[in-house]
Structures are given as structure tokens and as C-alpha cells.
Amino acid sequence: MTVLTERPAPVPEDDAPAASGQLRLVVAGSVDDGKSTLVGRLLHDTKSILADQYDQLEHVSRSRGADGFDLALLTDGLRAEREQGITIDVAYRYFATPRRSFVLADTPGHVQYTRNTVTGASTADAAVILVDVRNGVSVQTRRHAAVMALLRVPHVVFAVNKMDAVDWDQQRFAEVEADVRRVAQRVGIEHTAVLPVSALTGEGVAAPAPEWVEGPGLLSLLEQLPARRSLTDEALRFAVQLVVRPRTESHPDYRGLAGRVGSGTVRVGDEVIAQPSGQRSTVVGIDGPRGEQPEATAGQSVTLRLADELDVARGEVLSGVDDPTPVSRSLQGVLCWLSEDAAQARQRVLVKAGTRVTRGMLGDLEQLWHVDDQQWQDGDGHLELNDIGRVTLQLAEPVAVDGYLEHRRTGAFLVIDPDTGVTLAAGMAGGHLGEAHTAS
């Protein structure tokens, strides 16, 4: 396929080093901060647009009276979005430079869609939060910074956009940068980058910024950020999804535990412990898509055969005997409330941790994160849509859950409405928002 752009794509700094590995990126910002235009700029300047797509959107741009190509149209794929001129869902985009490939989660800017920002940030290696230089730090800026800190996104870059609208006023940028850094410090993000950009003109993104701007542009910086530490380097976590017992003539006695290696490596001969039951055994076989294999690493879906017929089922977590997953009948953590129906103390819910779903009950709202003041305050008993609060949940059965700080994947859980099946909240075991953290 032919890929065309209207003009030659700017080339990032040639001497900029590149980090290895694909980077998962989430882009967030308030409405009209220029988020869609920035995403469109990244796609345009990395030549990630097909010729027919470019021609179609150029025609649409002109039919609307635009002087040139409207970059925001590249991201507003839904008709409803185009009609309203806003982004209303999470969309994943893929683009690459000669130095690195990216998976970009484009999240909505409206406050009622903060849940989509949580979704996009939950797997991100880095975040770009847009700030309109004319308006400075907004409530949404504080909220997005809190979400990125809560979800421990390793790298957070604040892109101060629309610098062309203030003639690249260095003093104005310095004022906004100071406010942004205070926000980042209050939520516990110690090291962050603040860059002046113009998504409309491309300056500071891939094209050079004025001489007073120090450091790399946005695209070059994203190429240099280290990818997250490999999940293979972490402790073994294997959530059982299914007990496989075919009972066929060819496999009369076969019994295996199917699932995905969430982190770490499991090898034949390893001693493992199943939590929460606490039963131990030794791995005697690993069956993958192409047959038996000596080991399986993070991300691989396999079936483990054990030396003993443990009475385990879906929901158990296998780990190494030296670093077992903690077990508890209560979960104390931070919830991002995602439902329009407010949370009530003693509300009955379902809790999904890994592959295990169990009944639970919400405790009292212990503390509420105040977005404006950026600090914990005593709760008033209710969690409203997009609120962030510290809550303890009592569970009907013990579950195996890590602290979110130690294991991002097995430290997260969902709170679900038992009647409708709707997700009510995203939870992180432990409560670290506001505590300083650095990129891992």
C-alpha cells in the first residue's frame, strides 16, 4: 500500500538515542486541549496514513470549510464523534518511526469518560497529558495526573499545547510548567517531562521548536523512553483459567491447568504453590500450542501438568514457593468509581481478581481524593462517578491478590454489579496515591 502525506514528514533528531521495545502510550487531555489534533499529528508525521484515507479526510476537511487538512479527523472515527466534534471512546492506534513502534490509546477528554482514561492507562508504559497553554492547568489535568499516578504509569509527559497561539511565549510556558510540576509532585510523580508543542503546526512534536526550547521534541523523547521492565523478570504468577480433563482414549488420565503466564517463568521441575488453597506440587509437563515445551514465560498461554492431582479450580493462582501470592478475605485499596450510580456503604458487589470472581461487600468510604486540593480527605460516605476513594471490601471467600505496587497485573481488581454485570469500579490493592514514585 502506498502511504502519502501532504508534505515530507519531519525527521526527529538524528543523534537521539532510541530505546528498545514497543512503547504502549496513552494520550489524555481536557476537551479542546488539542488531543485529537496531536494524535493526528503523530500519525501524519510518522507517515501512518494510507493514501485513500488521506484523500477522503482531506475532502471532508474542505467540505467543512477548513483551509487545510483537519488532523483531528484522523482520530474521530465514529460518526457520533464527528458530529459532536469530540472523542467518546477509547481507540487504539498503531504507528512507528524508524526507531520504534507505538501502540497509542486515545482516550476521551470529557470528565464523564474518565473511566476510559483509566482503561487506556491501565496497560500504558507512558502517558502524554495535554495542557492548553492559554488556559493552564485545569481540573481535568489534575484528574488525569492522579489517574496516571494511581495506575503507576512509569513515564508521564505533559505536552503544553497551542504554543503557536501565544507566539511561543517563553514566559507563559514557564508559568504553566511551574503549575504542572506542582501538580505532578502532589500526586507523587517525581520525574516527569514538560514540553512546549504545537500539534497544529507540528513544532515541538516532530518538527523543531524555537531555539529557546531545550531538550528533545515530543516524538524524539517518546523514542528514548525505556519500555517497562519485562514481566519475565518478575515473580511467577499463573492464574488458572480452566482445568483440562479430556478423558479420551488417547488421553484417559490427562489433567492439566490451563491459563496464561501473567509474569515470570515456569519450568518443568519447578515447585509451585496454588493460592488461596496453599497446595503444593511440582510441574512435570508444559503443553503449548506446538506441543510440549520445557518452559513458559510471561504472555504465553499454556497448560501445566503437575505431579499431584491438586484440588484446584479456576481462580487459583500458581506461584513459586519462595514468593507466593498473598491471600486475604478483605481487600484494602483505592477505587476509581466508574458508575453513574453512587457507591453505598455495605453495598453487595462482585469482586473479580484475576480469574476469580467472588461475592463481596463495600465498607465505609475511608478517604476521598480531592482533585482540586490534591490530597486525601475524610469521605462523606459516598463515591460518585469518577471519584477516587480508599475503601475496604469484605469478601465471601479468600482471594490471591498482590499489592499493586509489587505486581501491577495481579494487584488490580474490578468491582461488579451482581445484578447487571456492569463494572462499577477499578481497584488497586494498597493505597499509594500521593506517595512519591519514580519510573521503573
Side-chain angles (χ1 to χ4, degrees):
M1 288 182 199
T2 304
V3 177
L4 293 177
T5 55
E6 189 176 37
R7 58 187 174 79
V11 178
E13 293 90 329
D14 290 335
D15 58 349
S20 61
Q22 185 185 69
L23 192 75
R24 296 184 67 89
L25 179 68
V26 59
V27 178
S30 186
V31 176
D32 295 331
D33 279 354
K35 178 175 56 61
S36 293
T37 302
L38 176 66
V39 175
R41 170 61 62 187
L42 290 171
L43 297 176
H44 178 274
D45 287 1
T46 55
K47 298 184 178 181
S48 302
I49 310 169
L50 300 178
D52 54 351
Q53 183 185 18
Y54 184 92
D55 292 341
Q56 179 192 3
L57 295 180
E58 184 180 41
H59 174 74
V60 174
S61 300
R62 289 177 177 172
S63 67
R64 294 183 177 184
D67 294 334
F69 188 95
D70 186 354
L71 290 167
L73 292 177
L74 286 169
T75 62
D76 294 339
L78 300 176
R79 175 176 296 181
E81 291 177 333
R82 294 186 182 182
E83 290 174 348
Q84 299 177 53
I86 61 173
T87 304
I88 60 174
D89 201 354
V90 180
Y92 289 91
R93 320 286 176 182
Y94 303 87
F95 67 97
T97 69
R99 296 188 173 94
R100 179 172 239 177
S101 62
F102 298 85
V103 179
L104 185 152
D106 181 13
T107 63
H110 286 67
V111 62
Q112 63 264 42
Y113 299 119
T114 300
R115 53 192 167 193
N116 303 79
T117 304
V118 173
T119 301
S122 62
T123 59
D125 302 316
V128 175
I129 300 176
L130 270 87
V131 181
D132 188 330
V133 68
R134 299 170 302 177
N135 303 323
V137 169
S138 66
V139 173
Q140 274 297 74
T141 307
R142 298 187 184 94
R143 190 183 305 276
H144 288 149
V147 168
M148 303 309 167
L150 184 62
L151 293 173
R152 273 333 202 218
V153 178
H155 307 282
V156 182
V157 179
F158 290 86
V160 181
N161 192 26
K162 303 188 181 183
M163 288 298 299
D164 58 298
V166 295
D167 295 327
W168 287 85
D169 186 335
Q170 187 173 358
Q171 179 60 34
R172 177 56 186 160
F173 171 74
E175 294 169 357
V176 176
E177 180 186 21
D179 291 341
V180 164
R181 293 195 181 281
R182 277 193 288 270
V183 168
Q185 186 177 23
R186 294 295 293 273
V187 297
I189 304 172
E190 276 196 339
H191 300 296
T192 187
V194 187
L195 305 181
V197 302
S198 170
L200 183 64
T201 66
E203 296 167 286
V205 182
E211 291 185 356
W212 62 263
V213 178
E214 299 178 354
L218 177 61
L219 186 58
S220 181
L221 175 64
L222 295 178
E223 290 179 318
Q224 299 172 48
L225 290 178
R228 187 182 307 171
R229 188 180 65 170
S230 172
L231 291 172
T232 304
D233 298 332
E234 298 185 3
L236 172 65
R237 295 293 185 266
F238 180 89
V240 177
Q241 295 181 353
L242 179 68
V243 179
V244 180
R245 301 189 67 180
R247 294 180 176 174
T248 61
E249 291 185 4
S250 57
H251 298 87
D253 300 320
Y254 186 95
R255 188 175 190 276
L257 306 177
R260 185 180 187 187
V261 182
S263 62
T265 300
V266 59
R267 299 177 178 86
V268 174
D270 284 352
E271 187 178 4
V272 294
I273 181 171
Q275 297 284 61
S277 65
Q279 300 174 85
R280 297 188 179 201
S281 187
T282 303
V283 178
V284 296
I286 302 175
D287 297 319
R290 296 182 176 83
E292 290 193 46
Q293 56 190 70
E295 65 177 32
T297 58
Q300 291 186 312
S301 295
V302 295
T303 300
L304 303 183
R305 285 181 279 118
L306 304 181
D308 307 282
E309 289 196 5
L310 302 186
D311 182 20
V312 300
R314 175 183 172 86
E316 297 257 347
V317 178
L318 300 184
S319 53
V321 294
D322 295 332
D323 189 5
T325 311
V327 176
S328 176
R329 292 195 66 150
S330 65
L331 282 178
Q332 186 175 26
V334 177
L335 295 185
C336 290
W337 196 254
L338 308 176
S339 172
E340 294 181 354
D341 297 327
Q344 304 291 335
R346 305 186 66 77
Q347 179 177 346
R348 297 187 182 279
V349 297
L350 294 178
V351 176
K352 184 176 188 298
T355 57
R356 192 179 192 90
V357 179
T358 185
R359 290 176 289 113
M361 185 171 65
L362 289 178
D364 293 330
L365 174 62
E366 297 163 8
Q367 286 185 307
L368 182 69
W369 179 258
H370 197 278
V371 175
D372 287 331
D373 296 341
Q374 294 189 288
Q375 59 184 359
W376 290 106
Q377 298 181 355
D378 291 339
D380 58 0
H382 294 83
L383 268 178
E384 306 283 350
L385 175 65
N386 297 321
D387 278 349
I388 298 172
R390 280 183 170 141
V391 179
T392 298
L393 295 102
Q394 300 300 326
L395 306 177
E397 302 170 299
V399 296
V401 177
D402 286 292
Y404 190 79
L405 281 181
E406 289 75 36
H407 292 280
R408 195 177 175 192
R409 183 177 295 271
T410 49
F413 59 92
L414 296 177
V415 179
I416 301 170
D417 189 318
D419 296 324
T420 64
V422 171
T423 299
L424 299 174
M428 279 60 69
H432 54 265
L433 182 60
E435 300 172 3
H437 77 97
T438 58
S440 57

